[in-house]
């Protein structure tokens, strides 16, 4: 898995998808830049989400609120007091860790031990092996399972109660060692606030302290009345937003999985109090359907109910994706009650309520939120789509190819136009004119460098679904050879038919309509 992940990160760099930020200065940890193909893929992912939310629902509208917000926002939302992670330092390596993640790592170790037992037994018993029976009866496995359950329960309790001492005791009791120094020489567990702060130009001291937003959601809450008044939406209705968020993560690793500057795509759905759990169930299912419409295997996704609920939620679930390093959170669906709107109402002194014309009453709406990290989605898509495969009827270095099997609607380049050879003006001119006629219909690329086989491979590596080759026959029969990325099938197509063929197969519409 490590190997697969390394290949993925180096592919992202080599082909211009993602670069380490400030690389000339040896980089800035957990901050990344998107390159020429990365930005296109990212924009396509945004469009897929945005259109699924706003265009497909006549009761969801979008906004784009500022990153800086009045500092009271973060007092009301609870982020100043409670947006903390428990941190612990190892005194020998001087490395800092999240205490809960160290314990989760211990639990993963137990899961791996169970998996090893299963693999060993499967080898020993061959065809007669019954994994369910083995998991339910093997003494060693039962011991690991029991311990896993105990640790999980203790961790959930400590996290729910914000009990730092209990977390410290767990690290000692479980004998967890620092992965770098191998020592068990830990500091006590302390709280670490994840918000970045900065200073307004014209106000000195605490009063001028501003935060970079740690979630986009609050920009939606404080605009609830503006949007409702101007759009005259009735409950239930939603507000969607895509934008940057910032978190001073203690442990930031696994490439773009956990970043300090990242992008969120969030939607707050405002509902009548008492109906929130029905809407929570609705969005839980709707969001999974949206993921499944990408066409990846359904086994790559699973729900994970939160063990300890955030301060604002009465129900919460993650949609997890199987990344190369295991199942991890990709999206959260949270029933946030009336916590945020009520808190802003109280601290601002403004009435933030909805007048319900049917019941003739005013109340603070409840909220169901869907929140997905765009960069995490990018990583999920890249990690599933980047594949190495053998090429039928090929030998030597051509026998395998690296191909990025993106859903065609997400591909950065939809079609490459390639003259068969470079030094024949009649071919290059024809290819250029085809390229010029297509380039406003969808993102296209013209490439004449290197042998045709190498150019095909370059397009495979960036996920281009169609390559159009212009050869000498084109000049007489008005047809080009269209090579399809996944099947490698080649067929002759009339030049005039190319635009419709590519557009119809690379349009987001088919993904949006399921
Ligand atoms: N408004 C709710 C909220 O922010 P969250 O679970 O903290 O909830 C939502 O974050 C999503 O944002 C996560 O599911 C994840 O995809 C993404 N996310 C959170 N922290 C991230 C980070 N440091 N780097 C990249 N993505 C992150």
């Amino acid at each position: 898995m490590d190997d697969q992940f390394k290949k993925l990160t180096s592919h992202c760099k080599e082909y211009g998808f993602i670069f380490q930020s400030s690389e000339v200065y040896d980089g800035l940890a957990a901050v990344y830049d998107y390159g020429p193909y990365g930005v296109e893929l990212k924009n396509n992912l945004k469009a897929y989400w945005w259109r699924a939310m706003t265009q497909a629902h006549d009761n969801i509208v979008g906004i784009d609120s500022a990153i800086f917000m009045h500092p009271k926002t973060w007092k009301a939302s609870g982020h100043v007091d409670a947006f903390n992670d428990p941190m612990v330092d190892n005194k020998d390596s001087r490395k800092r860790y999240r205490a809960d993640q160290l314990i989760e790592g211990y639990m993963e170790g137990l899961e791996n031990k169970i998996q090893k037992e299963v693999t060993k037994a499967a080898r020993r018993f061959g065809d007669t092996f019954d994994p369910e029976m083995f998991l339910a009866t093997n003494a060693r496995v039962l011991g690991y399972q029991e311990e896993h359950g105990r640790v999980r329960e203790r961790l959930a309790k400590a996290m729910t109660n914000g009990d730092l001492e209990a977390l410290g005791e767990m690290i000692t009791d479980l004998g967890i060692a620092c992965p770098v120094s191998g020592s068990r020489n830990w500091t006590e567990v302390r709280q670490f606030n994840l918000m970045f702060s900065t200073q307004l130009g014209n106000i000195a001291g605490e009063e001028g302290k501003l935060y970079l937003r740690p979630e986009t959601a609050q920009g939606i809450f404080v605009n609830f009345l503006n949007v409702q008044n101007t759009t005259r939406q009735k409950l239930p209705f939603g507000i969607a937003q895509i934008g940057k968020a910032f978190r001073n993560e203690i442990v930031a690793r696994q490439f773009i999985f956990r970043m300090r500057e990242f992008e969120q795509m969030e939607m707050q759905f405002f509902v009548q109090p008492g109906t929130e759990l029905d809407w929570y169930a609705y969005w839980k299912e709707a969001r999974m359907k949206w993921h499944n419409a990408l066409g990846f295997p359904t086994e790559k996704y699973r729900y994970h109910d939160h063990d300890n609920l955030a301060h604002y939620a009465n129900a919460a679930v993650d949609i997890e994706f199987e990344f190369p390093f295991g199942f991890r959170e990709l999206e959260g669906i949270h029933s946030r009650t009336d916590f945020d709107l009520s808190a802003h109402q109280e601290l601002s002194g403004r009435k933030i309520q909805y007048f319900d014309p049917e019941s003739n009453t005013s109340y603070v709406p409840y909220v169901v939120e869907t929140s997905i990290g765009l960069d995490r989605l990018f990583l999920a898509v890249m990690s599933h789509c980047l594949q190495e495969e053998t090429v039928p009827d090929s030998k030597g270095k051509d026998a395998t190819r690296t191909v990025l099997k993106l859903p065609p609607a997400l591909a950065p380049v939809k079609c490459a136009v390639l003259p068969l050879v470079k030094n024949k003006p009649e071919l290059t001119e024809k290819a250029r004119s085809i390229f010029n006629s297509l380039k406003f219909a969808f993102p296209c690329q013209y490439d004449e460098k290197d042998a045709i086989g190498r150019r095909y491979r370059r397009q495979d590596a960036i996920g281009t679904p169609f390559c159009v080759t212009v050869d000498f026959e084109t000049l007489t029969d008005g047809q080009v050879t269209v090579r399809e990325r996944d099947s490698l099938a080649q067929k002759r197509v009339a030049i005039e038919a190319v635009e419709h063929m590519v557009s119809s197969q690379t349009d987001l519409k088919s993904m949006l309509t399921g």
Side-chain angles (χ1 to χ4, degrees):
M1 282 306 173
D2 262 6
D3 202 33
Q4 189 194 339
F5 195 50
K6 269 190 206 133
K7 272 191 192 143
L8 174 72
T9 52
S10 55
H11 190 91
C12 282
K13 181 173 177 203
E14 188 182 345
Y15 287 94
F17 283 90
I18 296 172
F19 308 123
Q20 175 79 58
S21 158
S22 324
E23 202 186 87
V24 289
Y25 294 106
D26 294 333
L28 183 63
V31 186
Y32 292 91
D33 299 334
Y34 284 81
Y37 298 120
V39 68
E40 297 288 345
L41 172 54
K42 201 175 173 195
N43 284 340
N44 293 339
L45 289 168
K46 283 190 208 181
Y48 176 43
W49 184 86
W50 189 258
R51 290 177 61 180
M53 283 297 174
T54 62
Q55 258 176 288
H57 296 94
D58 56 12
N59 62 347
I60 300 183
V61 293
I63 63 164
D64 181 19
S65 70
I67 286 171
F68 289 136
M69 299 182 70
H70 194 286
K72 280 189 182 171
T73 310
W74 307 111
K75 188 72 193 158
S77 67
H79 284 82
V80 171
D81 298 319
F83 195 52
N84 301 317
D85 274 342
M87 67 167 187
V88 63
D89 295 337
N90 183 270
K91 292 182 193 162
D92 298 315
S93 67
R94 301 174 65 82
K95 290 271 175 209
R96 179 164 286 178
Y97 298 91
R98 260 176 63 179
D100 56 328
Q101 285 182 348
L102 282 178
I103 298 165
E104 277 166 9
Y106 180 86
M107 287 160 66
E108 259 179 44
L110 291 173
E111 284 159 28
N112 291 342
K113 282 181 184 167
I114 295 173
Q115 198 46 49
K116 261 193 200 147
E117 293 295 333
V118 172
T119 314
K120 243 178 17 194
R123 225 179 289 132
R124 186 152 25 101
F125 295 114
D127 288 346
T128 59
F129 182 59
D130 176 349
E132 267 170 39
M133 166 88 91
F134 181 77
L135 285 171
T137 54
N138 180 273
R140 212 172 294 151
V141 167
L142 289 176
Y144 292 142
Q145 278 170 352
E146 231 172 82
E147 189 183 356
H148 190 278
R150 268 199 312 272
V151 175
R152 183 181 160 152
E153 215 171 282
R154 233 177 124 184
L155 176 62
K157 196 166 154 208
M159 291 298 285
T160 308
N161 299 336
D163 188 343
L164 303 180
E165 225 171 278
L167 288 173
E169 276 165 20
M170 285 186 78
I171 291 173
T172 310
D173 294 351
L174 300 173
I176 296 174
C178 168
V180 175
S181 66
S183 93
R184 295 180 175 79
N185 193 9
W186 298 106
T187 62
E188 62 186 24
V189 178
R190 282 162 293 157
Q191 289 290 27
F192 181 81
N193 192 285
L194 297 184
M195 282 196 293
F196 281 103
S197 64
T198 183
Q199 191 72 28
L200 266 180
N202 60 346
I203 307 175
E206 263 306 292
E207 265 177 56
K209 189 171 176 184
L210 281 189
Y211 295 103
L212 274 72
R213 66 180 178 199
E215 62 172 9
T216 58
Q218 297 304 324
I220 294 179
F221 288 124
V222 299
N223 275 299
F224 168 74
L225 285 181
N226 286 336
V227 174
Q228 205 263 320
N229 289 339
T230 50
T231 59
R232 307 169 69 87
Q233 288 280 353
K234 292 209 172 73
L235 291 194
F237 80 92
I239 305 178
Q241 167 158 237
I242 300 177
K244 290 265 182 172
F246 303 82
R247 295 186 188 177
N248 198 359
E249 299 283 356
I250 301 171
V251 182
R253 42 186 176 139
Q254 290 161 332
F255 196 34
I256 56 169
F257 181 80
R258 196 176 298 286
M259 301 155 88
R260 297 202 165 103
E261 173 180 340
F262 58 100
E263 241 171 308
Q264 286 187 318
M265 306 196 285
E266 298 200 297
M267 193 278 297
Q268 313 298 129
F269 201 66
F270 299 92
V271 304
Q272 217 180 12
T275 63
E276 74 275 11
L277 291 180
D278 293 335
W279 283 112
Y280 170 74
Y282 169 86
W283 281 110
K284 190 174 153 178
E285 196 186 318
R287 292 303 303 147
M288 188 61 102
K289 265 197 197 146
W290 179 90
H291 285 285
N292 288 334
L294 286 169
F296 306 162
T298 50
E299 317 82 80
K300 287 238 155 203
Y301 300 87
R302 71 180 186 196
Y303 290 117
H304 178 254
D305 286 312
H306 284 206
D307 285 334
N308 47 307
L309 290 174
H311 58 274
Y312 49 71
N314 70 358
V317 67
D318 291 337
I319 292 179
E320 293 189 338
F321 181 80
E322 191 176 16
F323 289 94
F325 39 81
F327 273 98
R328 293 286 187 285
E329 173 186 349
L330 173 58
E331 170 157 7
I333 295 132
H334 314 123
S335 172
R336 288 180 82 129
T337 66
D338 60 351
F339 175 87
D340 302 86
L341 288 182
S342 294
H344 289 306
Q345 179 169 259
E346 202 177 315
L347 207 63
S348 67
R350 301 271 186 92
K351 189 171 163 191
I352 307 182
Q353 297 193 358
Y354 171 76
F355 175 72
D356 190 332
E358 269 154 44
S359 63
N360 222 10
T361 53
S362 290
Y363 51 80
V364 179
Y366 270 45
V367 171
V368 175
E369 159 185 81
T370 72
S371 174
I372 178 166
L374 175 55
D375 313 87
R376 259 185 217 186
L377 175 65
F378 189 108
L379 185 60
V381 167
M382 283 299 280
S383 64
H384 174 71
C385 295
L386 187 63
Q387 300 178 12
E388 261 180 49
E389 62 179 24
T390 49
V391 182
D393 308 322
S394 299
K395 284 196 222 98
K397 66 176 173 31
D398 291 336
T400 57
R401 67 168 182 155
T402 301
V403 53
L404 188 61
K405 292 192 168 173
L406 292 170
L410 298 181
V413 176
K414 308 296 183 208
C415 173
V417 183
L418 318 168
L420 187 62
V421 287
K422 183 177 163 185
N423 298 326
K424 297 283 173 199
E426 60 272 43
L427 287 193
T428 53
E429 274 161 29
K430 187 74 188 165
R432 276 257 176 226
S433 92
I434 295 173
F435 168 72
N436 284 330
S437 72
L438 294 176
K439 70 183 178 191
F440 293 113
F442 36 73
C444 253
Q445 198 169 72
Y446 174 84
D447 187 7
E448 59 179 31
K449 283 180 236 86
D450 301 322
I452 191 74
R454 282 187 72 176
R455 281 181 274 161
Y456 283 152
R457 292 304 158 88
R458 265 204 304 266
Q459 296 300 331
D460 285 346
I462 62 167
T464 307
F466 297 103
C467 286
V468 164
T469 305
V470 175
D471 56 25
F472 291 102
E473 269 174 68
T474 306
L475 305 177
T476 51
D477 70 2
Q479 296 189 344
V480 285
T481 300
V482 175
R483 171 191 182 266
E484 206 268 326
R485 179 195 68 197
D486 296 349
S487 65
L488 293 173
Q490 301 200 5
K491 62 176 178 190
R492 297 291 285 176
V493 174
I495 292 170
E496 309 77 61
V498 172
E499 180 175 330
H500 176 71
M501 189 202 79
V502 177
S503 310
S504 62
Q505 293 183 62
T506 59
D507 195 341
L508 266 180
K509 200 169 150 193
S510 60
M511 255 157 61
L512 288 165
T513 51

